[in-house]
Amino acid sequence: MRLRARRTGVVLTVLAAATAALAPVGAPAAVLSAVNAVVVWNQHTEDTIRNAGPFVPHVALINRAMVHGAVYDAVNGITRTHRPYLVQVEAQPGDSVDAAAATAAFRLLKHLFPAQSAALQIKYDAALAAVPDGPAKLGGITDGEQAATAMITARTGDGRGGPADVVIGTEPGQWRPTPPAFAIDPAPWAGNVKPFLVPDVAALRSDGPNALTSADYAEDFNEVKSVGSRTSNTRTADQTDAARWWAAVPQEAMLRALATGHNLSAADSARLFAQVGMSTADAVIACHNDKAHWKSWRPVTAIHEAAGDGNPATEPDPSWVPLLDTPPWYEHSSGHSCNISAWSYALTDFFGTDQVAFSGFNAVTGTTRSFTRFSQARKEIIDARVWAGIHFRTADHHGAVIGKKVAFYGAKHYFQPVS
């Protein structure tokens, strides 16, 4: 199935929970062989990221974007249906797409996660063993190597792992570490990384948090204080599930399900993962740049220390605890909202319609959540971060705007069909 850009007037449906069962995390080779090579290597990418140690969402999104950008150039370089991202590889029409996808992904993953080289080599050898020997296989390997080299070269010195300070404030409104761990962002450099699609993430700066003495701030404060408390009597059971589900959102599993559920070819799967992956990466880069600019406090700090915020409409509660433990980085804008907003808008552009029904099973919560369209998921993530007690609503709305701007820019300037 080859999807051209911006199909309209069509309702597309996929049951992501059911389809995701085709390839759960760590699935054996016999299961993975049922789906195309690009989907398989998305699974391997996710496994590799998860096996690398403590999961940091903004770092994971950047790594995914690098892998899938290279896979896209490798595969699209053979099919040549859309414009390349970094490089038009010197491919022949008959080159093996499977070998190209496997090689590009393997080279990037080995580059990013050298400690897992042996495990990755086993997966790569198995992938190549399934491709018949001959010029097509050799050509695909060469194509994948070229695309991987282009990505590694382009991302050298891009700011990953660079110096960045975490500023701990003392005044009302300023961020400080939060209970129970009082941890600090392990990757504060994320907001300084060179974006993949947009020219300048600082140009996406939000309007910032509400002034502490404003009525808008008091409204946000009192909402999260009520519905986001661990002992809230205003939050419903479904809202509690949504808050927990979105905290460990299975977005890559849902992408795999969308690809397999719609019988996407390897070429279309490569474009799907690249467009969504690079859009979400840029969204969180922009978001963390925004966070570092505003350095605003989290609800738990704000509620504990409300006596000093100068707003008579806020009341302190030193014993207040959010439903979920607060992430160890600045509050505004919301990273999850940036991410899922870009995710949903990029998917809408890819499929040419917002009306795609999908579901996702979350192994952490043991629950499935279903949506009738991409925008429904985008709306729920805004609510869910408030229900979790870890964001003010304004930060979620501003994050969603950043994600939208990134996805729109990416769709306009990249992944266009060849005329």
Side-chain angles (χ1 to χ4, degrees):
M1 176 182 179
R2 175 169 294 168
L3 293 177
R4 304 298 290 185
R6 295 160 187 77
R7 290 171 53 183
T8 58
V10 181
V11 178
L12 303 173
T13 304
V14 62
L15 296 178
T19 313
L22 289 173
V25 174
V31 174
L32 292 178
S33 65
V35 293
N36 72 57
V38 173
V39 176
V40 169
W41 281 93
N42 173 271
Q43 177 91 65
H44 292 334
T45 298
E46 193 66 10
D47 290 346
T48 304
I49 289 171
R50 297 284 179 177
N51 291 337
F55 181 79
V56 182
H58 36 295
V59 178
L61 286 162
I62 293 168
N63 287 334
R64 288 173 189 151
M66 290 179 64
V67 174
H68 286 294
V71 170
Y72 169 74
D73 270 351
V75 173
N76 184 70
I78 299 171
T79 61
R80 302 195 182 191
T81 58
H82 290 73
R83 298 175 190 169
Y85 170 62
L86 286 177
V87 61
Q88 174 61 63
V89 299
E90 299 172 2
Q92 298 299 316
D95 286 352
S96 169
V97 165
D98 288 358
T103 301
F106 168 69
R107 295 302 181 201
L108 258 296
L109 289 170
K110 186 176 178 180
H111 171 75
L112 292 168
F113 305 99
Q116 298 186 57
S117 292
L120 288 166
Q121 188 71 54
I122 292 171
K123 294 175 180 178
Y124 180 57
D125 290 345
L128 289 188
V131 180
D133 290 336
K137 179 177 182 176
L138 294 175
I141 292 171
T142 300
D143 302 335
E145 293 278 7
Q146 289 179 8
T149 298
M151 179 62 74
I152 292 169
T153 300
R155 303 309 299 185
T156 298
D158 64 355
R160 285 174 294 125
D165 294 326
V166 175
V167 179
I168 299 175
T170 57
E171 298 298 318
Q174 296 177 346
W175 182 85
R176 60 216 65 177
T178 56
F182 296 94
I184 293 176
D185 187 356
W189 44 261
N192 299 326
V193 172
K194 181 177 73 174
F196 292 84
L197 304 176
V198 301
D200 180 16
V201 294
L204 302 174
R205 177 79 64 241
S206 76
D207 291 337
N210 294 314
L212 297 184
T213 56
S214 68
D216 288 337
Y217 175 77
E219 183 178 357
D220 276 4
F221 176 101
N222 288 310
E223 179 190 23
V224 70
K225 183 181 180 183
S226 173
V227 77
S229 167
R230 191 162 295 180
T231 58
S232 174
N233 57 13
T234 60
R235 186 182 58 246
T236 68
D238 183 67
Q239 290 170 344
T240 298
D241 178 69
R244 296 185 183 280
W245 191 93
W246 281 106
V249 54
Q251 66 187 93
E252 290 303 292
M254 290 191 291
L255 277 184
R256 290 192 294 273
L258 285 162
T260 56
H262 289 288
N263 297 314
L264 297 189
S265 66
D268 285 324
S269 297
R271 182 164 52 89
L272 171 70
F273 290 128
Q275 181 171 357
V276 174
M278 287 192 269
S279 295
T280 54
D282 273 11
V284 297
I285 292 169
C287 179
H288 279 262
N289 187 278
D290 200 53
K291 287 176 181 289
H293 179 82
W294 297 112
K295 302 178 180 67
S296 59
W297 64 5
R298 289 281 183 166
V300 62
T301 311
I303 293 168
H304 287 180
E305 302 185 20
D309 67 13
N311 194 322
T314 64
E315 292 289 336
D317 181 355
S319 66
W320 189 88
V321 178
L323 172 65
L324 303 182
D325 290 344
T326 301
W329 35 82
Y330 309 122
E331 192 268 339
H332 188 103
S333 297
S334 164
H336 260 47
S337 294
C338 287
N339 171 15
I340 298 303
S341 176
W343 187 86
S344 65
Y345 279 113
L347 283 168
T348 298
D349 178 79
F350 180 90
F351 285 107
T353 177
D354 179 47
Q355 298 180 61
V356 178
F358 64 101
S359 301
F361 173 75
N362 190 318
V364 175
T365 64
T367 59
T368 297
R369 297 194 71 79
S370 300
F371 308 91
T372 60
R373 56 187 64 212
F374 296 127
S375 57
Q376 185 184 12
R378 184 169 63 247
K379 179 181 183 300
E380 186 168 270
I381 185 65
I382 291 172
D383 292 330
R385 304 311 269 172
V386 179
W387 298 334
I390 59 177
H391 273 298
F392 297 112
R393 183 168 293 276
T394 295
D396 293 324
H397 278 296
H398 286 190
V401 171
I402 290 173
K404 177 181 180 179
K405 289 179 178 178
V406 168
F408 276 30
Y409 186 92
K412 181 178 180 180
H413 293 90
Y414 295 88
F415 314 111
Q416 296 292 320
V418 175
S419 58

mmCIF file of all heavy atoms in Angstrom, residues 35-65:
data_model
loop_
_atom_site.group_PDB
_atom_site.id
_atom_site.type_symbol
_atom_site.label_atom_id
_atom_site.label_comp_id
_atom_site.label_asym_id
_atom_site.label_seq_id
_atom_site.Cartn_x
_atom_site.Cartn_y
_atom_site.Cartn_z
ATOM 1 N N VAL A 35 6.132 -8.794 9.853
ATOM 2 C CA VAL A 35 5.978 -7.397 9.474
ATOM 3 C C VAL A 35 7.186 -6.952 8.675
ATOM 4 O O VAL A 35 8.207 -7.635 8.616
ATOM 5 C CB VAL A 35 5.798 -6.510 10.732
ATOM 6 C CG1 VAL A 35 4.478 -6.821 11.415
ATOM 7 C CG2 VAL A 35 6.943 -6.710 11.719
ATOM 8 N N ASN A 36 7.066 -5.766 8.018
ATOM 9 C CA ASN A 36 8.154 -5.357 7.134
ATOM 10 C C ASN A 36 9.400 -4.939 7.912
ATOM 11 O O ASN A 36 9.359 -4.696 9.117
ATOM 12 C CB ASN A 36 7.683 -4.271 6.156
ATOM 13 C CG ASN A 36 7.461 -2.919 6.813
ATOM 14 O OD1 ASN A 36 8.359 -2.351 7.430
ATOM 15 N ND2 ASN A 36 6.245 -2.380 6.653
ATOM 16 N N ALA A 37 10.511 -4.850 7.198
ATOM 17 C CA ALA A 37 11.810 -4.636 7.831
ATOM 18 C C ALA A 37 11.890 -3.328 8.599
ATOM 19 O O ALA A 37 12.553 -3.246 9.634
ATOM 20 C CB ALA A 37 12.911 -4.679 6.777
ATOM 21 N N VAL A 38 11.204 -2.288 8.135
ATOM 22 C CA VAL A 38 11.244 -1.000 8.818
ATOM 23 C C VAL A 38 10.551 -1.099 10.168
ATOM 24 O O VAL A 38 11.038 -0.571 11.176
ATOM 25 C CB VAL A 38 10.605 0.091 7.940
ATOM 26 C CG1 VAL A 38 10.496 1.398 8.704
ATOM 27 C CG2 VAL A 38 11.416 0.288 6.664
ATOM 28 N N VAL A 39 9.423 -1.782 10.204
ATOM 29 C CA VAL A 39 8.713 -1.985 11.462
ATOM 30 C C VAL A 39 9.560 -2.836 12.417
ATOM 31 O O VAL A 39 9.634 -2.565 13.622
ATOM 32 C CB VAL A 39 7.340 -2.634 11.218
ATOM 33 C CG1 VAL A 39 6.638 -2.943 12.532
ATOM 34 C CG2 VAL A 39 6.467 -1.723 10.360
ATOM 35 N N VAL A 40 10.195 -3.861 11.887
ATOM 36 C CA VAL A 40 11.060 -4.710 12.701
ATOM 37 C C VAL A 40 12.157 -3.880 13.360
ATOM 38 O O VAL A 40 12.421 -3.996 14.565
ATOM 39 C CB VAL A 40 11.684 -5.838 11.846
ATOM 40 C CG1 VAL A 40 12.789 -6.545 12.621
ATOM 41 C CG2 VAL A 40 10.616 -6.830 11.424
ATOM 42 N N TRP A 41 12.778 -2.990 12.577
ATOM 43 C CA TRP A 41 13.883 -2.215 13.134
ATOM 44 C C TRP A 41 13.408 -1.072 14.022
ATOM 45 O O TRP A 41 14.166 -0.586 14.867
ATOM 46 C CB TRP A 41 14.827 -1.760 12.033
ATOM 47 C CG TRP A 41 15.719 -2.917 11.661
ATOM 48 C CD1 TRP A 41 15.524 -3.831 10.668
ATOM 49 C CD2 TRP A 41 16.906 -3.330 12.350
ATOM 50 N NE1 TRP A 41 16.515 -4.788 10.686
ATOM 51 C CE2 TRP A 41 17.385 -4.501 11.702
ATOM 52 C CE3 TRP A 41 17.621 -2.832 13.430
ATOM 53 C CZ2 TRP A 41 18.540 -5.167 12.116
ATOM 54 C CZ3 TRP A 41 18.773 -3.496 13.847
ATOM 55 C CH2 TRP A 41 19.221 -4.638 13.197
ATOM 56 N N ASN A 42 12.165 -0.682 13.896
ATOM 57 C CA ASN A 42 11.598 0.222 14.905
ATOM 58 C C ASN A 42 11.504 -0.507 16.233
ATOM 59 O O ASN A 42 11.820 0.047 17.296
ATOM 60 C CB ASN A 42 10.216 0.722 14.471
ATOM 61 C CG ASN A 42 9.529 1.525 15.554
ATOM 62 O OD1 ASN A 42 8.811 0.977 16.390
ATOM 63 N ND2 ASN A 42 9.744 2.828 15.559
ATOM 64 N N GLN A 43 11.073 -1.775 16.171
ATOM 65 C CA GLN A 43 11.011 -2.603 17.379
ATOM 66 C C GLN A 43 12.409 -2.769 17.986
ATOM 67 O O GLN A 43 12.605 -2.594 19.202
ATOM 68 C CB GLN A 43 10.437 -3.970 17.034
ATOM 69 C CG GLN A 43 10.384 -4.952 18.201
ATOM 70 C CD GLN A 43 9.080 -4.879 18.957
ATOM 71 O OE1 GLN A 43 8.042 -5.188 18.411
ATOM 72 N NE2 GLN A 43 9.139 -4.459 20.215
ATOM 73 N N HIS A 44 13.387 -3.074 17.146
ATOM 74 C CA HIS A 44 14.752 -3.233 17.646
ATOM 75 C C HIS A 44 15.283 -1.923 18.236
ATOM 76 O O HIS A 44 16.013 -1.936 19.238
ATOM 77 C CB HIS A 44 15.679 -3.695 16.518
ATOM 78 C CG HIS A 44 15.416 -5.086 16.030
ATOM 79 N ND1 HIS A 44 14.843 -6.065 16.817
ATOM 80 C CD2 HIS A 44 15.676 -5.669 14.815
ATOM 81 C CE1 HIS A 44 14.754 -7.193 16.123
ATOM 82 N NE2 HIS A 44 15.255 -6.970 14.908
ATOM 83 N N THR A 45 14.928 -0.808 17.614
ATOM 84 C CA THR A 45 15.352 0.496 18.128
ATOM 85 C C THR A 45 14.788 0.732 19.518
ATOM 86 O O THR A 45 15.507 1.160 20.435
ATOM 87 C CB THR A 45 14.908 1.616 17.175
ATOM 88 O OG1 THR A 45 15.530 1.433 15.903
ATOM 89 C CG2 THR A 45 15.275 2.989 17.717
ATOM 90 N N GLU A 46 13.508 0.450 19.679
ATOM 91 C CA GLU A 46 12.880 0.657 20.982
ATOM 92 C C GLU A 46 13.479 -0.268 22.029
ATOM 93 O O GLU A 46 13.755 0.152 23.164
ATOM 94 C CB GLU A 46 11.368 0.426 20.868
ATOM 95 C CG GLU A 46 10.580 0.901 22.073
ATOM 96 C CD GLU A 46 10.625 2.409 22.263
ATOM 97 O OE1 GLU A 46 11.105 3.130 21.355
ATOM 98 O OE2 GLU A 46 10.211 2.868 23.334
ATOM 99 N N ASP A 47 13.708 -1.517 21.679
ATOM 100 C CA ASP A 47 14.330 -2.458 22.619
ATOM 101 C C ASP A 47 15.716 -1.964 23.038
ATOM 102 O O ASP A 47 16.094 -2.031 24.211
ATOM 103 C CB ASP A 47 14.450 -3.843 21.985
ATOM 104 C CG ASP A 47 13.106 -4.529 21.796
ATOM 105 O OD1 ASP A 47 12.111 -4.056 22.383
ATOM 106 O OD2 ASP A 47 13.058 -5.532 21.060
ATOM 107 N N THR A 48 16.476 -1.474 22.065
ATOM 108 C CA THR A 48 17.828 -1.002 22.353
ATOM 109 C C THR A 48 17.811 0.203 23.279
ATOM 110 O O THR A 48 18.600 0.291 24.235
ATOM 111 C CB THR A 48 18.558 -0.652 21.044
ATOM 112 O OG1 THR A 48 18.557 -1.793 20.175
ATOM 113 C CG2 THR A 48 19.987 -0.220 21.307
ATOM 114 N N ILE A 49 16.911 1.131 23.020
ATOM 115 C CA ILE A 49 16.793 2.314 23.874
ATOM 116 C C ILE A 49 16.406 1.917 25.291
ATOM 117 O O ILE A 49 16.979 2.407 26.273
ATOM 118 C CB ILE A 49 15.761 3.295 23.276
ATOM 119 C CG1 ILE A 49 16.326 3.952 22.007
ATOM 120 C CG2 ILE A 49 15.376 4.373 24.299
ATOM 121 C CD1 ILE A 49 15.313 4.769 21.234
ATOM 122 N N ARG A 50 15.451 1.007 25.410
ATOM 123 C CA ARG A 50 14.983 0.587 26.736
ATOM 124 C C ARG A 50 16.065 -0.188 27.488
ATOM 125 O O ARG A 50 16.123 -0.126 28.720
ATOM 126 C CB ARG A 50 13.732 -0.280 26.597
ATOM 127 C CG ARG A 50 12.534 0.440 25.984
ATOM 128 C CD ARG A 50 11.876 1.366 26.965
ATOM 129 N NE ARG A 50 10.745 2.074 26.356
ATOM 130 C CZ ARG A 50 9.946 2.914 27.017
ATOM 131 N NH1 ARG A 50 10.156 3.127 28.317
ATOM 132 N NH2 ARG A 50 8.966 3.536 26.397
ATOM 133 N N ASN A 51 16.894 -0.906 26.757
ATOM 134 C CA ASN A 51 17.945 -1.700 27.394
ATOM 135 C C ASN A 51 19.164 -0.875 27.776
ATOM 136 O O ASN A 51 20.077 -1.392 28.425
ATOM 137 C CB ASN A 51 18.382 -2.836 26.463
ATOM 138 C CG ASN A 51 17.306 -3.896 26.285
ATOM 139 O OD1 ASN A 51 16.429 -4.051 27.123
ATOM 140 N ND2 ASN A 51 17.363 -4.613 25.177
ATOM 141 N N ALA A 52 19.191 0.382 27.380
ATOM 142 C CA ALA A 52 20.382 1.208 27.569
ATOM 143 C C ALA A 52 20.532 1.741 28.991
ATOM 144 O O ALA A 52 21.569 2.291 29.330
ATOM 145 C CB ALA A 52 20.381 2.367 26.583
ATOM 146 N N GLY A 53 19.479 1.599 29.794
ATOM 147 C CA GLY A 53 19.562 2.120 31.162
ATOM 148 C C GLY A 53 18.363 2.969 31.479
ATOM 149 O O GLY A 53 17.313 2.837 30.843
ATOM 150 N N PRO A 54 18.478 3.853 32.445
ATOM 151 C CA PRO A 54 17.340 4.696 32.829
ATOM 152 C C PRO A 54 16.757 5.416 31.612
ATOM 153 O O PRO A 54 17.494 6.039 30.835
ATOM 154 C CB PRO A 54 17.947 5.684 33.831
ATOM 155 C CG PRO A 54 19.115 4.948 34.404
ATOM 156 C CD PRO A 54 19.673 4.128 33.272
ATOM 157 N N PHE A 55 15.447 5.318 31.443
ATOM 158 C CA PHE A 55 14.778 5.879 30.264
ATOM 159 C C PHE A 55 14.555 7.368 30.470
ATOM 160 O O PHE A 55 13.910 7.788 31.431
ATOM 161 C CB PHE A 55 13.448 5.156 30.043
ATOM 162 C CG PHE A 55 12.686 5.647 28.838
ATOM 163 C CD1 PHE A 55 13.041 5.225 27.570
ATOM 164 C CD2 PHE A 55 11.626 6.531 28.974
ATOM 165 C CE1 PHE A 55 12.344 5.663 26.451
ATOM 166 C CE2 PHE A 55 10.915 6.980 27.871
ATOM 167 C CZ PHE A 55 11.275 6.539 26.607
ATOM 168 N N VAL A 56 15.104 8.177 29.577
ATOM 169 C CA VAL A 56 14.909 9.627 29.594
ATOM 170 C C VAL A 56 14.147 9.983 28.327
ATOM 171 O O VAL A 56 14.691 9.866 27.220
ATOM 172 C CB VAL A 56 16.249 10.375 29.653
ATOM 173 C CG1 VAL A 56 16.017 11.882 29.721
ATOM 174 C CG2 VAL A 56 17.071 9.908 30.853
ATOM 175 N N PRO A 57 12.879 10.393 28.426
ATOM 176 C CA PRO A 57 12.036 10.521 27.231
ATOM 177 C C PRO A 57 12.572 11.471 26.171
ATOM 178 O O PRO A 57 12.508 11.161 24.978
ATOM 179 C CB PRO A 57 10.689 10.993 27.791
ATOM 180 C CG PRO A 57 10.962 11.469 29.175
ATOM 181 C CD PRO A 57 12.128 10.696 29.658
ATOM 182 N N HIS A 58 13.111 12.623 26.572
ATOM 183 C CA HIS A 58 13.586 13.566 25.550
ATOM 184 C C HIS A 58 14.827 13.046 24.837
ATOM 185 O O HIS A 58 15.003 13.301 23.648
ATOM 186 C CB HIS A 58 13.819 14.974 26.117
ATOM 187 C CG HIS A 58 14.343 15.052 27.514
ATOM 188 N ND1 HIS A 58 13.632 14.629 28.599
ATOM 189 C CD2 HIS A 58 15.505 15.541 28.011
ATOM 190 C CE1 HIS A 58 14.343 14.850 29.708
ATOM 191 N NE2 HIS A 58 15.476 15.398 29.368
ATOM 192 N N VAL A 59 15.653 12.287 25.518
ATOM 193 C CA VAL A 59 16.819 11.679 24.870
ATOM 194 C C VAL A 59 16.379 10.562 23.920
ATOM 195 O O VAL A 59 16.894 10.439 22.796
ATOM 196 C CB VAL A 59 17.798 11.133 25.923
ATOM 197 C CG1 VAL A 59 18.981 10.452 25.253
ATOM 198 C CG2 VAL A 59 18.287 12.264 26.833
ATOM 199 N N ALA A 60 15.412 9.765 24.350
ATOM 200 C CA ALA A 60 14.908 8.675 23.505
ATOM 201 C C ALA A 60 14.343 9.203 22.198
ATOM 202 O O ALA A 60 14.585 8.622 21.119
ATOM 203 C CB ALA A 60 13.837 7.888 24.260
ATOM 204 N N LEU A 61 13.609 10.299 22.251
ATOM 205 C CA LEU A 61 13.008 10.859 21.040
ATOM 206 C C LEU A 61 14.085 11.334 20.056
ATOM 207 O O LEU A 61 13.945 11.156 18.840
ATOM 208 C CB LEU A 61 12.070 12.008 21.407
ATOM 209 C CG LEU A 61 10.745 11.572 22.033
ATOM 210 C CD1 LEU A 61 10.079 12.742 22.753
ATOM 211 C CD2 LEU A 61 9.800 11.013 20.973
ATOM 212 N N ILE A 62 15.140 11.921 20.564
ATOM 213 C CA ILE A 62 16.225 12.380 19.695
ATOM 214 C C ILE A 62 16.925 11.187 19.049
ATOM 215 O O ILE A 62 17.220 11.193 17.838
ATOM 216 C CB ILE A 62 17.211 13.246 20.499
ATOM 217 C CG1 ILE A 62 16.531 14.559 20.921
ATOM 218 C CG2 ILE A 62 18.471 13.539 19.682
ATOM 219 C CD1 ILE A 62 17.301 15.354 21.961
ATOM 220 N N ASN A 63 17.182 10.136 19.821
ATOM 221 C CA ASN A 63 17.827 8.937 19.269
ATOM 222 C C ASN A 63 16.957 8.258 18.220
ATOM 223 O O ASN A 63 17.444 7.816 17.175
ATOM 224 C CB ASN A 63 18.162 7.968 20.392
ATOM 225 C CG ASN A 63 19.329 8.441 21.249
ATOM 226 O OD1 ASN A 63 20.189 9.191 20.779
ATOM 227 N ND2 ASN A 63 19.355 8.027 22.500
ATOM 228 N N ARG A 64 15.654 8.155 18.500
ATOM 229 C CA ARG A 64 14.743 7.555 17.520
ATOM 230 C C ARG A 64 14.774 8.329 16.207
ATOM 231 O O ARG A 64 14.771 7.745 15.112
ATOM 232 C CB ARG A 64 13.315 7.554 18.055
ATOM 233 C CG ARG A 64 13.017 6.581 19.174
ATOM 234 C CD ARG A 64 11.614 6.852 19.689
ATOM 235 N NE ARG A 64 11.293 6.107 20.899
ATOM 236 C CZ ARG A 64 10.441 6.533 21.819
ATOM 237 N NH1 ARG A 64 9.822 7.701 21.662
ATOM 238 N NH2 ARG A 64 10.186 5.802 22.886
ATOM 239 N N ALA A 65 14.780 9.647 16.302
ATOM 240 C CA ALA A 65 14.758 10.481 15.095
ATOM 241 C C ALA A 65 15.999 10.235 14.243
ATOM 242 O O ALA A 65 15.911 10.178 13.004
ATOM 243 C CB ALA A 65 14.656 11.953 15.488
#
